[in-house]
Every structure is written in structure tokens, then in C-alpha cells.
Amino acid sequence: MDSPKAPDPYQTAAAQTQSNIQTAKTQQELNMVNQSNPYGSLTYSQSGTNADGTPQYTATTALTPTGQTLFDNANALAGKQQSIASTLLGSGQGAFSGKPLDLSYNGTAAALDALNKARLDPQWKQNQDQLEAQLAAQGLQPGMAGYDAAFRNFSTAKNDAYNSANLADYTTAVNTALQEYNQPLQTYSTLVNGTSPQMPNAANVSTPTTNVAGTDIAGLVQKNYEDQLNANNATMGGLFGLGGTLGGSLLQGIGKAGGMASFFSDRRLKSDVVRIGTLESGLPLYEYTIFGSRQRGVMADEAEVLFPDAVFTHPSGFKMVDYAALGLA
């Protein structure tokens, strides 16, 4: 009796792969739910077939006429923004000029200082004339201590006034220059990085997700093989025990042949069978393994054709041959 063959790993892997593909296909189809709401719809349709035969699908989003108009307008606005940004980028203004910002006095506050000087000079000329008239009325002349002290105070106040104006001019000029230099860049950034058109959610509904458990084909094949192997081992174990009890497969006084030369010779009990010749009677002679040992003999089914009286069936269901009846004992 031959042991069951181990499963072919390549066939098992191919079967498992096919089962996985079918599971994935089923799961995909169950989750492709056509959807719709007031904004539009989302539909699925088969659009082709992959090389392995699995289907290809296309998901199509369609907006309502109003939603499509809003989306088209948003795209048109974005296009205009990009066009304006490109024009600004090539304008050479501010930060796009390719030149560093000049924050020196001549580059910032010089012009404002000139304006302030034109405004302050007449005022301080008038103040100086008034001071000279006042000192003259007091009888003070240049070179006198009182006169010189008064003019030192006057000069200090005048310098403080001009310095304060110049400092304010410089701060204002720097802030203005920075703003003018960066304004084109800020405008460009707003145009380019502004809010992009958003696709309306065409099917904002809750779709249940279906998970289909795969079939463990490889596990089932292995389990079936193990069951067959265990059953075969159990049968062979029983036959080995029977063979041992009967003294090396020899039956005494059983059946119609019942001779001392009766042996189990059923083809189902033999493995690794090799034909080694032919008997004078025409029966093929074989070498084979039976009950764990290598033996030589005939096949019961073939012997039964030529010598029906030499073959009988043991109560276990397996055929035996009386080799004495074949003239071989």
C-alpha cells in the first residue's frame, strides 16, 4: 500500500494565489458602492481587464450643474492669480529686482532730512533773530559771558531738534523702504499660495467597509494530506501487526488454499514494485516492499487469472496467494 503523496507546493501556492485574488476581487466589488448627495455623485464602472484577468474599474465623480459652475469659476480665478503672479515676478520690482536693499543714510533718510531741514531752518533762523534782539536789549554783546551762554543753550536746543527729526526720519525711511522692497514678494506669495479650488465632496455619505476573510487553501491541503497520511499509517500499522502475528505473513489453515505457503500478495499492500522476470507459467515475477521488508513474488490479481484456486481473500479484505499451488513452495 503506497503512502499518500505530499501536496505539490507549486500547485498549492497557485491555488492559494487564485483564492487570494478572488477574495480581493470580491472585497473590492462589495466596497465599490455608488453614492450621491446634493453636491453630485460618485459611480464605479468596469473599464478594462488586467493581464491576469482581474477587472479594472474607474471611479467617476460628477457635480451638479451649480457645483460644476462654482468649481469652474474657482479654477478660472486661480488661473488669473497665477498669471498676475507671473507678471509680478518678471516686473523687477522690490525683492524681484535682484538688488540688495540699501538701508544706508543716503538710501533711506537723506531725502526726508532735506525736507525737514527746509522746514526747520526758517523756524530756527527766526528764533535766532529773536534771541539776538533780546540780548541786545539787555545790553549783552558777543564775547560777554551772558551772551555766549545764551547762544550755547540756543545751539544745543537747535542740534537736539535736528537730531530728533533726523532719527525719526531714519526710522520712518527704513520701515518704508522694507515695506516697499517686500511688498511685491508678499503679493506674489499671496497669489501663488492662496486658497486653491476645492473639489466639492460629491458623495459625503457613510459607506460601510466590508472585509471578506480569505480561505486558507494551503492549510486545508496540508490538513487533508496529514489526515490521509495518518489513516495510511494506521492501516499499515494494523497490517504490520497482522503480518507479525501470522509469522511473516504466513497463514496456516485459512481459506480454500490454506497451505503453509500462503502469503499476502495483494497489490495494494506493495510499494516500490519492480518487475524482475517471468515464471514458466507465464506469471510476471516482481520485487517489492511489503510490511517493511523487501520480498519477491507475484501479484495476487494476476495469479488469480491463471490459478484461481491458488488465491483467496483474507478476512481483512486483502488477497493471499498459496505459492505451493503455483508450484513454487
Short mmCIF file of all heavy atoms in Angstrom, two decimals, residues 15-65:
data_model
loop_
_atom_site.label_atom_id
_atom_site.label_comp_id
_atom_site.label_asym_id
_atom_site.label_seq_id
_atom_site.Cartn_x
_atom_site.Cartn_y
_atom_site.Cartn_z
N ALA A 15 -2.95 27.64 -6.20
CA ALA A 15 -4.35 27.62 -5.73
C ALA A 15 -4.57 28.70 -4.67
O ALA A 15 -5.62 29.37 -4.66
CB ALA A 15 -4.69 26.24 -5.17
N GLN A 16 -3.60 28.87 -3.76
CA GLN A 16 -3.73 29.90 -2.73
C GLN A 16 -3.76 31.30 -3.35
O GLN A 16 -4.54 32.17 -2.94
CB GLN A 16 -2.58 29.79 -1.73
CG GLN A 16 -2.67 30.77 -0.56
CD GLN A 16 -3.87 30.50 0.33
OE1 GLN A 16 -3.92 29.47 0.99
NE2 GLN A 16 -4.85 31.39 0.33
N THR A 17 -2.88 31.53 -4.34
CA THR A 17 -2.86 32.82 -5.03
C THR A 17 -4.19 33.11 -5.71
O THR A 17 -4.73 34.22 -5.61
CB THR A 17 -1.72 32.85 -6.08
OG1 THR A 17 -0.47 32.67 -5.41
CG2 THR A 17 -1.71 34.17 -6.83
N GLN A 18 -4.74 32.12 -6.39
CA GLN A 18 -6.02 32.31 -7.07
C GLN A 18 -7.13 32.61 -6.07
O GLN A 18 -8.00 33.45 -6.31
CB GLN A 18 -6.36 31.05 -7.88
CG GLN A 18 -7.54 31.22 -8.81
CD GLN A 18 -7.33 32.30 -9.85
OE1 GLN A 18 -6.23 32.46 -10.36
NE2 GLN A 18 -8.36 33.06 -10.15
N SER A 19 -7.09 31.92 -4.92
CA SER A 19 -8.09 32.18 -3.88
C SER A 19 -7.94 33.60 -3.33
O SER A 19 -8.94 34.29 -3.10
CB SER A 19 -7.94 31.16 -2.75
OG SER A 19 -8.83 31.45 -1.69
N ASN A 20 -6.69 34.05 -3.14
CA ASN A 20 -6.46 35.41 -2.64
C ASN A 20 -6.97 36.45 -3.61
O ASN A 20 -7.56 37.47 -3.22
CB ASN A 20 -4.96 35.62 -2.38
CG ASN A 20 -4.45 34.78 -1.22
OD1 ASN A 20 -5.23 34.28 -0.43
ND2 ASN A 20 -3.14 34.62 -1.14
N ILE A 21 -6.72 36.21 -4.91
CA ILE A 21 -7.19 37.15 -5.93
C ILE A 21 -8.71 37.23 -5.92
O ILE A 21 -9.29 38.32 -5.99
CB ILE A 21 -6.67 36.72 -7.32
CG1 ILE A 21 -5.15 36.91 -7.40
CG2 ILE A 21 -7.36 37.52 -8.42
CD1 ILE A 21 -4.54 36.39 -8.69
N GLN A 22 -9.36 36.07 -5.83
CA GLN A 22 -10.83 36.06 -5.82
C GLN A 22 -11.38 36.76 -4.58
O GLN A 22 -12.37 37.50 -4.65
CB GLN A 22 -11.34 34.61 -5.87
CG GLN A 22 -12.85 34.49 -5.97
CD GLN A 22 -13.41 35.17 -7.20
OE1 GLN A 22 -12.86 35.04 -8.29
NE2 GLN A 22 -14.51 35.90 -7.04
N THR A 23 -10.70 36.56 -3.43
CA THR A 23 -11.13 37.25 -2.20
C THR A 23 -10.99 38.77 -2.34
O THR A 23 -11.89 39.52 -1.98
CB THR A 23 -10.29 36.76 -1.00
OG1 THR A 23 -10.48 35.36 -0.83
CG2 THR A 23 -10.70 37.48 0.27
N ALA A 24 -9.85 39.20 -2.88
CA ALA A 24 -9.63 40.65 -3.07
C ALA A 24 -10.65 41.23 -4.04
O ALA A 24 -11.17 42.34 -3.83
CB ALA A 24 -8.22 40.89 -3.58
N LYS A 25 -10.94 40.50 -5.11
CA LYS A 25 -11.93 40.96 -6.10
C LYS A 25 -13.31 41.09 -5.46
O LYS A 25 -14.01 42.09 -5.65
CB LYS A 25 -11.97 39.98 -7.27
CG LYS A 25 -13.00 40.31 -8.35
CD LYS A 25 -12.88 39.33 -9.50
CE LYS A 25 -13.96 39.61 -10.55
NZ LYS A 25 -15.31 39.30 -10.06
N THR A 26 -13.69 40.09 -4.68
CA THR A 26 -15.00 40.14 -4.02
C THR A 26 -15.07 41.31 -3.04
O THR A 26 -16.07 42.03 -2.99
CB THR A 26 -15.25 38.82 -3.27
OG1 THR A 26 -15.22 37.74 -4.21
CG2 THR A 26 -16.60 38.85 -2.57
N GLN A 27 -14.00 41.49 -2.26
CA GLN A 27 -13.98 42.58 -1.28
C GLN A 27 -14.05 43.93 -1.96
O GLN A 27 -14.77 44.83 -1.52
CB GLN A 27 -12.71 42.47 -0.44
CG GLN A 27 -12.63 43.50 0.68
CD GLN A 27 -11.60 43.10 1.71
OE1 GLN A 27 -11.68 42.04 2.31
NE2 GLN A 27 -10.62 43.95 1.93
N GLN A 28 -13.32 44.08 -3.08
CA GLN A 28 -13.35 45.35 -3.80
C GLN A 28 -14.75 45.65 -4.34
O GLN A 28 -15.25 46.77 -4.22
CB GLN A 28 -12.36 45.31 -4.96
CG GLN A 28 -12.32 46.59 -5.78
CD GLN A 28 -11.42 46.49 -7.00
OE1 GLN A 28 -11.13 45.40 -7.46
NE2 GLN A 28 -10.99 47.62 -7.51
N GLU A 29 -15.37 44.65 -4.92
CA GLU A 29 -16.70 44.85 -5.51
C GLU A 29 -17.74 45.18 -4.43
O GLU A 29 -18.64 46.00 -4.66
CB GLU A 29 -17.12 43.61 -6.29
CG GLU A 29 -16.28 43.40 -7.56
CD GLU A 29 -16.62 42.11 -8.27
OE1 GLU A 29 -17.30 41.26 -7.64
OE2 GLU A 29 -16.21 41.95 -9.43
N LEU A 30 -17.61 44.57 -3.26
CA LEU A 30 -18.56 44.86 -2.18
C LEU A 30 -18.40 46.28 -1.65
O LEU A 30 -19.36 46.89 -1.17
CB LEU A 30 -18.36 43.86 -1.04
CG LEU A 30 -18.82 42.42 -1.32
CD1 LEU A 30 -18.44 41.52 -0.14
CD2 LEU A 30 -20.31 42.35 -1.57
N ASN A 31 -17.17 46.83 -1.73
CA ASN A 31 -16.92 48.17 -1.19
C ASN A 31 -17.10 49.28 -2.22
O ASN A 31 -17.09 50.45 -1.86
CB ASN A 31 -15.51 48.25 -0.61
CG ASN A 31 -15.37 47.45 0.68
OD1 ASN A 31 -16.27 47.44 1.50
ND2 ASN A 31 -14.26 46.76 0.85
N MET A 32 -17.25 48.94 -3.49
CA MET A 32 -17.46 49.96 -4.52
C MET A 32 -18.96 50.29 -4.59
O MET A 32 -19.70 49.76 -5.42
CB MET A 32 -16.93 49.49 -5.87
CG MET A 32 -15.42 49.41 -5.94
SD MET A 32 -14.76 49.17 -7.61
CE MET A 32 -15.62 47.67 -8.08
N VAL A 33 -19.38 51.14 -3.68
CA VAL A 33 -20.80 51.50 -3.57
C VAL A 33 -21.03 52.82 -4.30
O VAL A 33 -20.39 53.83 -3.99
CB VAL A 33 -21.22 51.63 -2.10
CG1 VAL A 33 -22.69 52.00 -2.00
CG2 VAL A 33 -20.95 50.32 -1.36
N ASN A 34 -21.92 52.84 -5.27
CA ASN A 34 -22.27 54.10 -5.94
C ASN A 34 -22.95 55.03 -4.93
O ASN A 34 -23.81 54.59 -4.15
CB ASN A 34 -23.20 53.84 -7.11
CG ASN A 34 -22.51 53.08 -8.24
OD1 ASN A 34 -21.29 53.14 -8.37
ND2 ASN A 34 -23.28 52.38 -9.04
N GLN A 35 -22.55 56.32 -4.95
CA GLN A 35 -23.03 57.26 -3.95
C GLN A 35 -23.52 58.54 -4.62
O GLN A 35 -23.08 58.89 -5.71
CB GLN A 35 -21.90 57.60 -2.97
CG GLN A 35 -21.25 56.38 -2.34
CD GLN A 35 -20.01 56.72 -1.55
OE1 GLN A 35 -20.03 57.59 -0.69
NE2 GLN A 35 -18.91 56.04 -1.82
N SER A 36 -24.39 59.24 -3.93
CA SER A 36 -24.89 60.52 -4.44
C SER A 36 -25.40 61.36 -3.28
O SER A 36 -25.81 60.83 -2.24
CB SER A 36 -26.02 60.29 -5.45
OG SER A 36 -27.14 59.67 -4.83
N ASN A 37 -25.34 62.68 -3.45
CA ASN A 37 -25.89 63.64 -2.49
C ASN A 37 -26.18 64.94 -3.25
O ASN A 37 -26.01 65.00 -4.47
CB ASN A 37 -24.92 63.84 -1.31
CG ASN A 37 -23.62 64.51 -1.72
OD1 ASN A 37 -23.46 64.98 -2.84
ND2 ASN A 37 -22.68 64.57 -0.80
N PRO A 38 -26.63 65.99 -2.58
CA PRO A 38 -27.00 67.22 -3.30
C PRO A 38 -25.85 67.86 -4.07
O PRO A 38 -26.08 68.71 -4.94
CB PRO A 38 -27.49 68.14 -2.17
CG PRO A 38 -27.99 67.22 -1.12
CD PRO A 38 -27.06 66.05 -1.16
N TYR A 39 -24.59 67.50 -3.78
CA TYR A 39 -23.46 68.10 -4.49
C TYR A 39 -23.14 67.38 -5.80
O TYR A 39 -22.53 67.94 -6.69
CB TYR A 39 -22.23 68.10 -3.60
CG TYR A 39 -22.38 68.93 -2.36
CD1 TYR A 39 -22.68 68.32 -1.14
CD2 TYR A 39 -22.25 70.32 -2.40
CE1 TYR A 39 -22.83 69.08 0.01
CE2 TYR A 39 -22.41 71.07 -1.25
CZ TYR A 39 -22.69 70.45 -0.05
OH TYR A 39 -22.84 71.21 1.09
N GLY A 40 -23.49 66.09 -5.90
CA GLY A 40 -23.16 65.34 -7.10
C GLY A 40 -23.20 63.85 -6.83
O GLY A 40 -23.95 63.39 -5.97
N SER A 41 -22.39 63.08 -7.56
CA SER A 41 -22.43 61.63 -7.43
C SER A 41 -21.04 61.04 -7.65
O SER A 41 -20.17 61.65 -8.27
CB SER A 41 -23.41 61.02 -8.45
OG SER A 41 -22.97 61.31 -9.77
N LEU A 42 -20.88 59.82 -7.14
CA LEU A 42 -19.67 59.04 -7.33
C LEU A 42 -20.09 57.65 -7.77
O LEU A 42 -20.81 56.96 -7.05
CB LEU A 42 -18.86 58.97 -6.03
CG LEU A 42 -17.64 58.06 -6.03
CD1 LEU A 42 -16.59 58.58 -7.01
CD2 LEU A 42 -17.04 57.95 -4.64
N THR A 43 -19.66 57.22 -8.98
CA THR A 43 -20.07 55.93 -9.51
C THR A 43 -18.85 55.14 -9.95
O THR A 43 -17.81 55.70 -10.32
CB THR A 43 -21.01 56.11 -10.72
OG1 THR A 43 -20.35 56.90 -11.72
CG2 THR A 43 -22.30 56.81 -10.30
N TYR A 44 -18.99 53.80 -9.91
CA TYR A 44 -17.93 52.90 -10.32
C TYR A 44 -18.38 52.10 -11.54
O TYR A 44 -19.55 51.71 -11.64
CB TYR A 44 -17.57 51.91 -9.19
CG TYR A 44 -17.06 52.57 -7.94
CD1 TYR A 44 -17.93 52.97 -6.93
CD2 TYR A 44 -15.70 52.80 -7.76
CE1 TYR A 44 -17.46 53.58 -5.78
CE2 TYR A 44 -15.21 53.40 -6.62
CZ TYR A 44 -16.10 53.79 -5.63
OH TYR A 44 -15.63 54.39 -4.49
N SER A 45 -17.46 51.86 -12.46
CA SER A 45 -17.77 51.06 -13.65
C SER A 45 -16.51 50.32 -14.09
O SER A 45 -15.39 50.82 -13.92
CB SER A 45 -18.29 51.96 -14.78
OG SER A 45 -17.30 52.92 -15.14
N GLN A 46 -16.71 49.12 -14.65
CA GLN A 46 -15.56 48.36 -15.14
C GLN A 46 -15.10 48.97 -16.45
O GLN A 46 -15.87 49.16 -17.38
CB GLN A 46 -15.92 46.89 -15.33
CG GLN A 46 -14.72 46.04 -15.74
CD GLN A 46 -15.02 44.56 -15.78
OE1 GLN A 46 -16.07 44.14 -15.31
NE2 GLN A 46 -14.13 43.77 -16.35
N SER A 47 -13.79 49.26 -16.52
CA SER A 47 -13.25 49.95 -17.69
C SER A 47 -12.22 49.10 -18.45
O SER A 47 -11.69 49.55 -19.46
CB SER A 47 -12.60 51.27 -17.27
OG SER A 47 -11.62 51.06 -16.26
N GLY A 48 -11.94 47.91 -17.95
CA GLY A 48 -10.95 47.08 -18.64
C GLY A 48 -10.64 45.84 -17.84
O GLY A 48 -11.31 45.51 -16.86
N THR A 49 -9.60 45.14 -18.29
CA THR A 49 -9.18 43.90 -17.63
C THR A 49 -7.67 43.88 -17.53
O THR A 49 -6.97 44.22 -18.48
CB THR A 49 -9.66 42.67 -18.43
OG1 THR A 49 -11.08 42.75 -18.61
CG2 THR A 49 -9.31 41.38 -17.70
N ASN A 50 -7.16 43.48 -16.36
CA ASN A 50 -5.73 43.37 -16.17
C ASN A 50 -5.19 42.14 -16.89
O ASN A 50 -5.95 41.28 -17.35
CB ASN A 50 -5.39 43.29 -14.68
CG ASN A 50 -5.74 44.57 -13.94
OD1 ASN A 50 -5.41 45.66 -14.40
ND2 ASN A 50 -6.42 44.44 -12.81
N ALA A 51 -3.85 42.06 -16.97
CA ALA A 51 -3.22 40.94 -17.67
C ALA A 51 -3.56 39.60 -17.04
O ALA A 51 -3.62 38.58 -17.73
CB ALA A 51 -1.71 41.14 -17.70
N ASP A 52 -3.81 39.58 -15.72
CA ASP A 52 -4.13 38.32 -15.05
C ASP A 52 -5.62 37.99 -15.08
O ASP A 52 -6.06 37.03 -14.47
CB ASP A 52 -3.65 38.36 -13.59
CG ASP A 52 -4.31 39.48 -12.79
OD1 ASP A 52 -5.10 40.25 -13.38
OD2 ASP A 52 -4.03 39.59 -11.58
N GLY A 53 -6.37 38.80 -15.81
CA GLY A 53 -7.80 38.53 -15.94
C GLY A 53 -8.68 39.25 -14.93
O GLY A 53 -9.91 39.22 -15.06
N THR A 54 -8.10 39.88 -13.92
CA THR A 54 -8.90 40.62 -12.94
C THR A 54 -9.41 41.92 -13.56
O THR A 54 -8.73 42.53 -14.39
CB THR A 54 -8.07 40.93 -11.69
OG1 THR A 54 -6.89 41.65 -12.07
CG2 THR A 54 -7.68 39.67 -10.97
N PRO A 55 -10.59 42.37 -13.16
CA PRO A 55 -11.18 43.56 -13.78
C PRO A 55 -10.55 44.86 -13.29
O PRO A 55 -10.07 44.94 -12.17
CB PRO A 55 -12.65 43.47 -13.35
CG PRO A 55 -12.63 42.71 -12.06
CD PRO A 55 -11.50 41.72 -12.18
N GLN A 56 -10.55 45.85 -14.16
CA GLN A 56 -10.15 47.22 -13.82
C GLN A 56 -11.41 48.08 -13.71
O GLN A 56 -12.33 47.94 -14.51
CB GLN A 56 -9.22 47.81 -14.88
CG GLN A 56 -7.88 47.13 -15.00
CD GLN A 56 -7.03 47.73 -16.10
OE1 GLN A 56 -7.55 48.39 -17.01
NE2 GLN A 56 -5.73 47.49 -16.05
N TYR A 57 -11.43 48.96 -12.72
CA TYR A 57 -12.59 49.81 -12.50
C TYR A 57 -12.20 51.29 -12.55
O TYR A 57 -11.05 51.64 -12.27
CB TYR A 57 -13.24 49.50 -11.15
CG TYR A 57 -13.88 48.13 -11.08
CD1 TYR A 57 -13.16 47.03 -10.61
CD2 TYR A 57 -15.20 47.93 -11.48
CE1 TYR A 57 -13.73 45.78 -10.56
CE2 TYR A 57 -15.78 46.68 -11.42
CZ TYR A 57 -15.05 45.60 -10.96
OH TYR A 57 -15.62 44.35 -10.90
N THR A 58 -13.16 52.12 -12.90
CA THR A 58 -12.97 53.57 -12.93
C THR A 58 -14.01 54.21 -12.01
O THR A 58 -15.19 53.87 -12.08
CB THR A 58 -13.15 54.13 -14.35
OG1 THR A 58 -12.14 53.56 -15.20
CG2 THR A 58 -13.01 55.65 -14.35
N ALA A 59 -13.54 55.11 -11.13
CA ALA A 59 -14.44 55.87 -10.27
C ALA A 59 -14.68 57.22 -10.91
O ALA A 59 -13.74 57.95 -11.23
CB ALA A 59 -13.83 56.04 -8.88
N THR A 60 -15.94 57.56 -11.13
CA THR A 60 -16.31 58.80 -11.81
C THR A 60 -17.07 59.73 -10.87
O THR A 60 -18.09 59.33 -10.30
CB THR A 60 -17.18 58.51 -13.05
OG1 THR A 60 -16.47 57.63 -13.92
CG2 THR A 60 -17.50 59.80 -13.79
N THR A 61 -16.55 60.95 -10.70
CA THR A 61 -17.21 61.96 -9.88
C THR A 61 -17.90 62.96 -10.80
O THR A 61 -17.27 63.52 -11.70
CB THR A 61 -16.20 62.69 -8.99
OG1 THR A 61 -15.57 61.74 -8.12
CG2 THR A 61 -16.89 63.76 -8.16
N ALA A 62 -19.17 63.19 -10.58
CA ALA A 62 -19.94 64.15 -11.37
C ALA A 62 -20.60 65.15 -10.43
O ALA A 62 -21.25 64.76 -9.45
CB ALA A 62 -20.99 63.42 -12.21
N LEU A 63 -20.41 66.45 -10.71
CA LEU A 63 -21.01 67.50 -9.89
C LEU A 63 -22.36 67.91 -10.47
O LEU A 63 -22.63 67.72 -11.67
CB LEU A 63 -20.08 68.71 -9.84
CG LEU A 63 -18.67 68.47 -9.30
CD1 LEU A 63 -17.85 69.75 -9.38
CD2 LEU A 63 -18.72 67.96 -7.88
N THR A 64 -23.18 68.51 -9.64
CA THR A 64 -24.41 69.09 -10.13
C THR A 64 -24.07 70.29 -11.01
O THR A 64 -22.94 70.82 -10.94
CB THR A 64 -25.30 69.55 -8.97
OG1 THR A 64 -24.59 70.57 -8.24
CG2 THR A 64 -25.63 68.39 -8.04
N PRO A 65 -24.97 70.77 -11.87
CA PRO A 65 -24.66 71.94 -12.71
C PRO A 65 -24.18 73.14 -11.90
O PRO A 65 -23.22 73.81 -12.29
CB PRO A 65 -26.00 72.21 -13.41
CG PRO A 65 -26.66 70.86 -13.48
CD PRO A 65 -26.29 70.18 -12.21
#
